[in-house]
Amino acid sequence: MNKINRPLPILIILMVLITSARAQQNLAEVNIWLTKADRSALFEKQKQPLKFTGLANQNTTITVNDNKTYQPIDGFGFALTG
């Protein structure tokens, strides 16, 4: 019975490695579909995909602290004039 159970951990490890490799491959590239306000592009797939790298960006990071409030908001309204 030991001989039958021996390949099982190896099979599980291989499945995890294959799955993580596919996940990394899927995250590396994104297809872009574009619509412009002037109607020059209406939900058109762009030829160049958006590619991601492992490099950190230099953009500002916004950290939200849920425990700190500044002023209450009663709600958001809607106005229609005409």
Side-chain angles (χ1 to χ4, degrees):
M1 189 148 165
N2 263 344
K3 291 180 183 179
I4 294 173
N5 291 335
R6 190 174 287 169
L8 187 59
I10 295 171
L11 181 61
I12 291 172
I13 291 170
L14 285 175
M15 288 173 56
V16 168
L17 290 175
I18 290 170
T19 303
S20 70
R22 284 185 182 169
Q24 288 176 356
Q25 182 182 16
N26 290 341
L27 293 176
E29 195 172 283
V30 176
N31 291 322
I32 302 172
W33 295 78
L34 179 66
T35 298
K36 292 185 178 180
D38 64 359
R39 300 179 62 90
S40 61
L42 297 174
F43 200 63
E44 295 176 2
K45 185 176 182 180
Q46 303 301 295
K47 293 179 183 176
Q48 294 294 328
L50 182 61
K51 296 183 180 184
F52 292 94
T53 64
L55 301 175
N57 65 37
Q58 300 300 321
N59 299 332
T60 303
T61 301
I62 299 173
T63 305
V64 177
N65 183 353
D66 292 333
N67 297 320
K68 177 93 173 161
T69 57
Y70 294 96
Q71 87 184 57
I73 298 175
D74 289 333
F76 296 94
F78 173 77
L80 180 64
T81 59

